[in-house]
Amino acid sequence: EFLQRYLSRAPRGFNQLAYGAVTAGDRQALDGYIAALAAQPISRFNRAEQEAYWINLYNALTVRVVLDYYPVTTIREIRVEGIDLSLDDIEHRILRPIWRDPRLHYALNCAAISCPDLQGAAFLAPDLERQLEQAARQYVNDPRGVAVIQGKVIVSKVYDWFIEDFGGSEQTVLAHLKRYAAPALKAQL
């Protein structure tokens, strides 16, 4: 409901969240959602449920950080099963090393226009593969992710910062991009 209410497609083709329009009641609802997630016995969930859980928690926390601290200068921590975690912990100590799935970069919201879109719905274990594939195709085929200008391939910094997640070389990044590129972009690549 929160995403349906505040997330929209910008004229330039990317999703944007209307942070300034979020009501006090909806901030409380977001806090309630985060608290409900944090209260879950995540270690009892299956692997797909855990992955969807961590993505959703990360994205909800990112939205809350922006709402609470814009412009963002700090990251608040949260407790899950008695362990203090930051957004950095969720991304770099849990999601990336455990799942080793480059598509996570398309699912995690960094709250910047240049990053992959915040998706319009929560990630769900039964739909997770489809949702990750869709997010990958969406970003790879967006000029924010990949563009070919005068025969030169220009990619988002995501592929540079996390090159090891995409196979560790320019060739493996290119192979990854081709996998998700629409026919016209694939031919250019």
Side-chain angles (χ1 to χ4, degrees):
E1 290 174 7
F2 183 93
L3 292 171
Q4 289 175 359
R5 190 169 293 131
Y6 297 109
L7 192 68
S8 64
R9 199 82 176 149
R12 290 182 21 209
F14 53 84
N15 286 352
Q16 62 184 13
L17 195 76
Y19 291 102
V22 177
T23 66
D26 284 335
R27 282 182 186 223
Q28 287 180 335
L30 178 63
D31 286 342
Y33 173 70
I34 291 168
L37 285 175
Q40 293 297 315
I42 189 61
S43 59
R44 296 181 188 162
F45 290 21
N46 70 40
R47 188 168 171 80
E49 291 167 336
Q50 286 184 16
E51 185 176 13
Y53 167 92
W54 289 114
I55 292 169
N56 292 329
L57 180 59
Y58 183 96
N59 288 339
L61 286 169
T62 300
V63 169
R64 186 173 75 183
V65 166
V66 173
L67 287 171
D68 290 349
Y69 294 103
Y70 188 80
V72 177
T73 58
T74 185
I75 293 178
R76 292 173 60 177
E77 293 194 353
I78 187 159
R79 290 181 69 82
V80 175
E81 291 191 346
I83 299 170
D84 289 330
L85 297 169
S86 68
L87 289 171
D88 193 64
D89 292 331
I90 294 170
E91 181 178 5
H92 302 295
R93 287 185 37 224
I94 298 170
L95 282 167
R96 289 180 58 231
I98 293 173
W99 278 273
R100 297 182 183 270
D101 185 343
R103 298 173 304 168
L104 288 168
H105 295 289
Y106 308 122
L108 300 177
N109 173 30
C110 78
I113 290 173
S114 62
C115 291
D117 285 339
L118 175 62
Q119 297 299 303
F123 287 83
L124 303 172
D127 297 328
L128 189 59
E129 281 301 310
R130 180 192 57 77
Q131 290 174 303
L132 290 171
E133 289 287 304
Q134 178 182 333
R137 279 190 303 277
Q138 182 181 9
Y139 191 64
V140 167
N141 291 288
D142 186 298
R144 294 173 297 147
V146 181
V148 180
I149 301 171
Q150 297 178 345
K152 185 175 182 179
V153 178
I154 310 296
V155 297
S156 163
K157 283 289 192 186
V158 168
Y159 301 107
D160 185 36
W161 294 329
F162 301 106
I163 193 167
E164 66 276 3
D165 292 358
F166 297 96
S169 71
E170 289 181 3
Q171 292 76 22
T172 58
V173 169
L174 191 58
H176 173 86
L177 298 176
K178 286 179 182 178
R179 176 177 177 196
Y180 295 103
L185 177 60
K186 187 175 185 175
Q188 288 181 306
L189 294 172

